[in-house]
Amino acid sequence: MRSLRSVLTTRGRAFMGSGAVLVLAGVIFGFRDLTRFGVLLVALPLISAVLVRTRKTRMRIERHTHPERISVGQDAHVTLSFENVSTNTTPIFLAEERLDYVLGDRPRFVVGRIPPGRVRAIDYAVRSHLRGRHHLGPLGVQVQDPFGLANRNAVLEGTADLVVLPAVHPLSSNRRPSAGVGSEGEQAHLIALHGEDDVTIREYRDGDDLRRIHWPATARTGDLMVRQEDRPAQRRAVVLIDPRPSAHGGTGVSSSFEWAITAAASIAVHLCDSGYAVHLVCAETVETSRAAETMTPEEILDVLAVATPRDDTGEDEILRAGQALAAAGGFLVAIVGPSGRDITSRVASLRQPGTTGLALVLDARSFGTTDADEAEPHVDTLRLAGWRAVSVQRDEDVAHVWAVLTAATVGGSR
């Protein structure tokens, strides 16, 4: 009985109740026609329920998104294809696409009958104001009889992912930042005679990749020696992101962490377009050992699309990865929060003599309730170490902050 109740609609249950009353009244008062009419009202929902439950069709669902990767605030068009792989024509049914809540309201549509072997396609659009990897599907389907007395709900398995990339703001600078060691020249040139790498030997430093140990030199000197591959013709840049929850304030799209991701994406793409070989140092690239690799703008955006705040115990690995890259020289950009003067001091020590370091210190308090410190003392610590550092407020634009930062002098103020 409970199974029958779940199949019948409100109209079907009303028919059942009315039919039962009419049958009872016809029997009591002796009106056969009234009894027959009551039996008909009871029988119609039962027949509809049997037809709905026993009618089987099989469909193949495919989803195609265009484009497959979108930026925050951009529309993506999804084509949902229904292929009837059974031998019977499908009934008219109501379909509802289940989406992650950030993609907006669930699209609902009525799908007409599909003959065997035929395909019907339906398009809908989604938009997200939050970056990340979001799910499309599964599809909820409701089949109803022509009288609306019974229905059957089913979920058609199968999902697709839509990657929403962080927003990238066009950047310009009043002066092109010098990359220092290994960055001579405005454009990267290849050295045709000796190749790109100029290998030297130096003492091992904490954080160096053990795969770079030069064993002959180690055996000769008695100390650990590593290969240092200087690239005088390849400008290098390192973009470091602070993932500690305690260093950020606010929630959702208005949090300081989201501002940091947008800034990192914009800066990294800008540096790639300017001819730099960019290393992205964040929790995700350190975990996958990709921090030591140069990355294309597409790869950087894919990583930042799924970046999340991490527990504060992971900053050691990130700083060690940044130190190993900074030891080879290059242009440094650090986007950090004001939490822990010792961490800020370690970030400040990443800059090598003769290199340029730019630091964006997020004023976490302006983004929302947080236990973070005031930003200015951390800015002063970085400036004393030779960085160009600025404090970033919640409502400031990435392009404006970048222009101010690249126009500042070492140790100067905003």
Side-chain angles (χ1 to χ4, degrees):
M1 188 66 181
R2 182 178 299 176
S3 177
L4 178 63
R5 189 181 299 113
S6 64
V7 173
L8 294 178
T9 63
T10 302
R11 182 184 301 174
R13 290 192 291 269
F15 269 51
M16 289 277 295
S18 300
V21 171
L22 291 178
V23 169
L24 183 61
V27 171
I28 293 174
F29 296 109
F31 294 107
R32 293 185 176 180
D33 291 340
L34 191 62
T35 303
R36 294 190 186 98
F37 188 66
V39 170
L40 177 62
L41 290 181
V42 172
L44 277 176
L46 294 176
I47 295 172
S48 297
V50 171
L51 291 176
V52 166
R53 289 183 65 89
T54 58
R55 188 171 184 178
K56 303 293 184 181
T57 57
R58 292 184 297 114
M59 288 184 295
R60 181 183 294 117
I61 307 296
E62 292 185 358
R63 294 175 180 84
H64 303 280
T65 58
H66 178 76
E68 296 181 353
R69 299 156 70 249
I70 62 173
S71 298
V72 169
Q74 181 182 356
D75 287 336
H77 298 277
V78 182
T79 300
L80 193 59
S81 299
F82 302 86
E83 181 182 1
N84 184 3
V85 295
S86 64
T87 57
N88 300 320
T89 300
T90 65
I92 299 174
F93 60 90
L94 176 66
E96 181 182 75
E97 182 79 307
R98 300 182 181 182
L99 308 173
D100 286 354
Y101 73 96
V102 297
L103 296 178
D105 296 333
R106 294 179 174 182
R108 305 180 68 185
F109 30 80
V110 176
V111 181
R113 293 183 174 88
I114 306 175
R118 301 295 294 275
V119 178
R120 187 182 298 273
I122 293 178
D123 296 329
Y124 66 91
V126 293
R127 173 185 294 187
S128 175
H129 295 285
L130 184 66
R131 63 179 177 83
R133 186 181 299 274
H134 306 301
H135 298 296
L136 307 174
L139 186 75
V141 174
Q142 183 183 83
V143 180
Q144 196 172 78
D145 73 291
F147 300 104
L149 302 177
N151 59 24
R152 179 165 59 95
N153 296 313
V155 176
L156 303 182
E157 298 298 331
T159 61
D161 289 336
L162 176 66
V163 178
V164 180
L165 306 175
V168 176
H169 299 279
L171 303 181
S172 60
S173 57
N174 297 328
R175 54 184 292 182
R176 183 179 297 275
S178 171
V181 176
S183 62
E184 289 77 13
E186 287 299 314
Q187 298 295 332
H189 301 285
L190 295 180
I191 301 178
L193 181 58
H194 301 291
E196 186 184 25
D197 295 338
D198 184 11
V199 181
T200 59
I201 307 299
R202 61 170 174 80
E203 291 184 359
Y204 174 82
R205 298 172 184 167
D206 185 30
D208 284 339
D209 191 345
L210 295 178
R211 293 173 296 182
R212 295 168 56 189
I213 293 178
H214 193 273
W215 295 110
T218 299
R220 185 174 62 254
T221 62
D223 297 323
L224 278 179
M225 306 294 289
V226 296
R227 298 186 305 273
Q228 176 171 307
E229 299 175 354
D230 294 326
R231 291 183 171 93
Q234 178 72 50
R235 297 185 298 176
R236 295 160 47 87
V238 178
V239 179
L240 185 145
I241 306 173
D242 188 347
R244 298 172 299 157
S246 62
H248 294 283
T251 59
V253 296
S254 60
S255 68
S256 62
F257 184 77
E258 290 300 320
W259 198 99
I261 293 297
T262 300
S266 303
I267 293 170
V269 171
H270 174 69
L271 293 176
C272 287
D273 293 341
S274 299
Y276 286 87
V278 177
H279 297 266
L280 178 66
V281 181
C282 61
E284 287 72 19
T285 57
V286 170
E287 285 181 353
T288 58
S289 300
R290 298 187 65 188
E293 304 173 1
T294 59
M295 303 174 69
T296 64
E298 292 75 17
E299 293 172 334
I300 291 172
L301 293 178
D302 283 338
V303 171
L304 293 178
V306 296
T308 58
R310 298 299 180 93
D311 189 84
D312 288 5
T313 57
E315 71 270 7
D316 286 339
E317 289 77 8
I318 294 176
L319 289 172
R320 279 198 294 267
Q323 182 182 29
L325 292 169
F331 174 51
L332 297 178
V333 179
I335 307 172
V336 297
S339 178
R341 294 289 292 274
D342 56 332
I343 298 297
T344 302
S345 298
R346 292 178 64 184
V347 172
S349 67
L350 296 179
R351 192 188 73 86
Q352 302 297 310
T355 65
T356 298
L358 304 184
L360 292 78
V361 181
L362 305 174
D363 186 357
R365 294 185 177 184
S366 70
F367 286 85
T369 304
T370 179
D371 295 330
D373 306 332
E374 291 185 2
E376 288 304 327
H378 295 265
V379 172
D380 294 338
T381 299
L382 290 162
R383 287 176 177 170
L384 289 173
W387 290 68
R388 304 176 191 172
V390 293
S391 174
V392 178
Q393 305 295 315
R394 174 177 178 175
D395 297 328
E396 292 193 81
D397 181 70
V398 174
H400 171 71
V401 172
W402 179 255
V404 170
L405 189 60
T406 54
T409 58
V410 176
S413 59
R414 294 181 59 179

